[in-house]
Amino acid sequence: MITVVNAILGAIMIARLHAMYQRRKMLIFLSIILLAVTIANVVTITIITIDMSEEELVISGTYQCYVNFGDNIDLSYSMYWMSTTAWEVLALCLAVWIAVKHFRELQRPSTGWIIGDCFTALTKSHLVYFVSFVAVSCFNFGYLSPAISAVTPICLTSACNNNSSILQNPFSLDSEIYPGLTQIFLLVQLFVLGPRLILSVRKYHAKRVAKSDAASGMTSISFQERVHVSTSSSV
């Protein structure tokens, strides 16, 4: 599910960058990069799933499912998040580069404010999303640390397989805090800040439409007043 949502967010990011660059070559380039990253992530997830096994544990009279990963989980897990992080860094660099370029090239105030505000809205929402992604990546890369993986309920390293304390109670409060925070940040990044990439553009468009309608309304009112004055003067 995370891979599918990341692919959808990648497509949204491509649409935003294409609107900023207005170049077909950039659209093709980003589509190829996203496709390659998605395929690599699917292969990595498949490898992790094949090596994954479950074990039934009895803790305090209750049955619990304990997930055990293979010996190559460190490499597979790091490759997954490295490829995803590389894509996000590339998208951020392209967005910042084209935004800075347009801000430098703007000289006419009449068109500068419209284009500038548009690029400001796109860049601001992109930066907020990227900051949240960095937080999620830091939490996920933290699983590779032996100190953290030794107290998590789902061990991501082969060293956890021989840890008797984890096998006795893998669902203690201490072992659930870090995965719980990771899940919270991940859900916020995917399902809250991800849709904001679209909602921020719609909000900016709605404000522009409201301003244009208000300006046209003021013009029509002013025109009607002029007609009324001219008619009264002629009578």
Side-chain angles (χ1 to χ4, degrees):
M1 180 59 69
I2 295 175
T3 304
V4 172
V5 175
N6 279 329
I8 296 174
L9 294 178
I12 296 174
M13 200 67 67
I14 288 178
R16 290 164 57 94
L17 292 174
H18 177 61
M20 299 173 74
Y21 277 87
Q22 293 293 325
R23 295 179 182 178
R24 188 175 181 181
K25 292 182 179 180
M26 180 60 66
L27 177 62
I28 297 175
F29 169 74
L30 293 175
S31 300
I32 294 175
I33 296 297
L34 178 62
L35 181 61
V37 171
T38 303
I39 292 176
N41 290 340
V42 170
V43 173
T44 304
I45 290 296
T46 303
I47 295 174
I48 294 176
T49 306
I50 292 175
D51 296 337
M52 185 175 60
S53 62
E54 296 81 19
E55 181 181 355
E56 185 179 3
L57 301 179
V58 180
I59 302 176
S60 300
T62 61
Y63 291 90
Q64 304 288 344
C65 181
Y66 176 73
V67 181
N68 184 23
F69 293 89
D71 297 335
N72 297 325
I73 184 62
D74 288 343
L75 179 60
S76 301
Y77 198 74
S78 60
M79 287 179 60
Y80 179 90
W81 283 104
M82 285 177 62
S83 61
T84 306
T85 304
W87 159 255
E88 294 293 342
V89 171
L90 174 63
L92 176 69
C93 293
L94 291 176
V96 173
W97 168 257
I98 192 64
V100 172
K101 183 179 179 180
H102 273 268
F103 288 146
R104 289 181 177 180
E105 292 179 352
L106 291 179
Q107 295 180 354
R108 293 180 299 175
S110 60
T111 59
W113 285 108
I114 297 176
I115 301 178
D117 291 342
C118 179
F119 273 79
T120 301
L122 291 174
T123 307
K124 185 184 299 183
S125 59
H126 196 142
L127 288 175
V128 173
Y129 172 80
F130 182 77
V131 169
S132 66
F133 177 83
V134 169
V136 173
S137 298
C138 292
F139 273 97
N140 282 281
F141 280 121
Y143 278 112
L144 302 177
S145 173
I148 295 178
S149 61
V151 296
T152 53
I154 300 178
C155 294
L156 296 179
T157 60
S158 58
C160 300
N161 298 333
N162 298 324
N163 194 326
S164 58
S165 62
I166 296 298
L167 294 177
Q168 290 176 359
N169 189 6
F171 301 99
S172 62
L173 179 61
D174 294 337
S175 63
E176 291 288 350
I177 292 178
Y178 192 88
L181 292 176
T182 303
Q183 291 298 319
I184 291 174
F185 278 97
L186 180 62
L187 292 176
V188 170
Q189 180 248 326
L190 292 178
F191 300 105
V192 177
L193 297 179
R196 291 296 303 173
L197 296 175
I198 297 179
L199 297 177
S200 61
V201 178
R202 296 183 61 181
K203 182 179 179 180
Y204 168 76
H205 178 70
K207 287 183 178 180
R208 284 196 58 190
V209 171
K211 290 181 180 179
S212 62
D213 292 341
S216 61
M218 292 293 293
T219 303
S220 62
I221 293 174
S222 177
F223 179 74
Q224 291 176 1
E225 289 178 352
R226 291 178 181 178
V227 172
H228 177 70
V229 172
S230 61
T231 304
S232 62
S233 62
S234 62
V235 174

